[in-house]
Amino acid sequence: MTELPARRLLLVHAHPDDESINNGATMARYAAEGARVTLVTCTLGERGEVIPPRLAHLTGAALGAHRLGELRAAMGELGVEDFRLLGGAGRYGDSGMMGLADNDDPGCFWQADPDDAARLLAEVIREVRPQVLVTYDPDGGYGHPDHIQAHRVAMRAVELAAADGWEIPKVYWNRVPRSVAEEGFARLLKDLPDLPFGRTATLDDVPGVVDDERITTEIDGTAHTAAKTAAMGAHATQIEVAPGRPYFVLSNELAQPVLTTEYYELVRGERPDGARETDLFAGIGEAS
């Protein structure tokens, strides 16, 4: 058997771009430190809204193929070599926003049997043997059906892999502490006149915002700010990053701050001393 790196991190996301927004600094940091970082993306985001007019012609499968290219470019910026589509490209389609008729498409991820999808993810877990898995909370951060389904599939895959011999020591959900979000938006309001954006989002537009006491772990990725913003910019159909500034917009054209210290809630596993962690692998021995 090929010897595995000492530290192995698996992230499960719904669409290309989610990983760079939520975890780009974390991924870049651990990749630079020599950890094996594996990303599993569940759909190609074929129903995403396209920002640049020059790419507005992209829809459906053509948009999905283009977004796969964006994902490849983003992973190059983050230094991540191992990235995969759950079940292979096109296995699960984008489900669209909650409440739309798209949710009823039998080929979309929302309609997938969670156990079937989890078995595919469990195969990756058994191969990679991650000590840490990162995904969304039960609401998917903000209620998107593909994010909710990614949570369900990831958590079920953890159970299936454990039953088959590989128990992941630590599982985290993506979070943003309320105080950090508030500070970020306060800075944004001051800087808005100098930005190419006209309006700001609100805390309700930021996935995973919770009270500060829910945060168990913070990963300082400020040394990898350039990598994160470049990765976000690589997802050009979905994200516009302010040149040289830590702000971005999605298709709603509402500005948000880019966070390069990223936050998590540990939901499986133990913190070594109960204090807020600064390393996802804290407490994990070299032999794991």
Side-chain angles (χ1 to χ4, degrees), residues 7 9 26-35 37 219 279-281:
R7 296 186 299 169
L9 167 63
T26 299
M27 295 171 73
R29 170 180 158 173
Y30 282 113
E33 292 178 356
V37 178
I219 302 301
D279 180 6
L280 296 176
F281 294 90

Side-chain angles (χ1 to χ4, degrees), residues 42-56:
C42 297
T43 82
L44 285 171
E46 301 93 337
R47 290 190 165 103
E49 296 180 4
V50 176
I51 295 174
R54 62 185 174 80
L55 299 175

Side-chain angles (χ1 to χ4, degrees), residues 79-92:
V80 173
E81 298 180 358
D82 186 8
F83 55 98
R84 313 165 184 217
L85 278 301
L86 183 64
R91 177 65 176 264
Y92 298 112

Side-chain angles (χ1 to χ4, degrees), residues 1 7 52 60 81 91 102 108 116 121-122 165 195 200 205 213 227:
M1 179 184 293
R7 296 186 299 169
E81 298 180 358
R91 177 65 176 264
D102 298 332
C108 78
D116 288 345
L121 182 57
L195 299 177
T200 71
D205 297 307
E213 55 266 27

Side-chain angles (χ1 to χ4, degrees), residues 113-195:
D113 183 295
D115 277 351
D116 288 345
R119 279 189 281 271
L120 295 173
L121 182 57
E123 291 177 9
V124 178
I125 292 173
R126 288 191 291 268
E127 174 196 341
V128 174
R129 292 196 289 165
Q131 299 119 324
V132 175
L133 182 144
V134 171
T135 192
Y136 312 104
D137 66 12
D139 187 50
Y142 71 110
H144 192 294
D146 288 330
H147 289 238
I148 294 170
Q149 187 78 309
H151 162 85
R152 293 172 178 168
V153 168
M155 299 305 289
R156 179 61 176 144
V158 169
E159 296 173 350
L160 294 175
D164 202 33
W166 184 256
E167 186 161 354
I168 300 175
K170 301 179 83 174
V171 176
Y172 293 91
W173 294 341
N174 295 305
R175 293 299 193 193
V176 177
R178 191 172 306 279
S179 66
V180 170
E182 290 172 346
E183 290 166 6
F185 277 102
R187 289 192 304 272
L188 171 58
L189 282 171
K190 289 177 59 178
D191 292 343
L192 191 63
D194 299 322
L195 299 177

Side-chain angles (χ1 to χ4, degrees), residues 141-142 185 200-209 248 250 252 254-256:
Y142 71 110
F185 277 102
T200 71
T202 69
L203 261 64
D204 291 339
D205 297 307
V206 179
V209 173
F248 73 102
L250 301 172
N252 59 12
L254 300 176
Q256 297 185 41

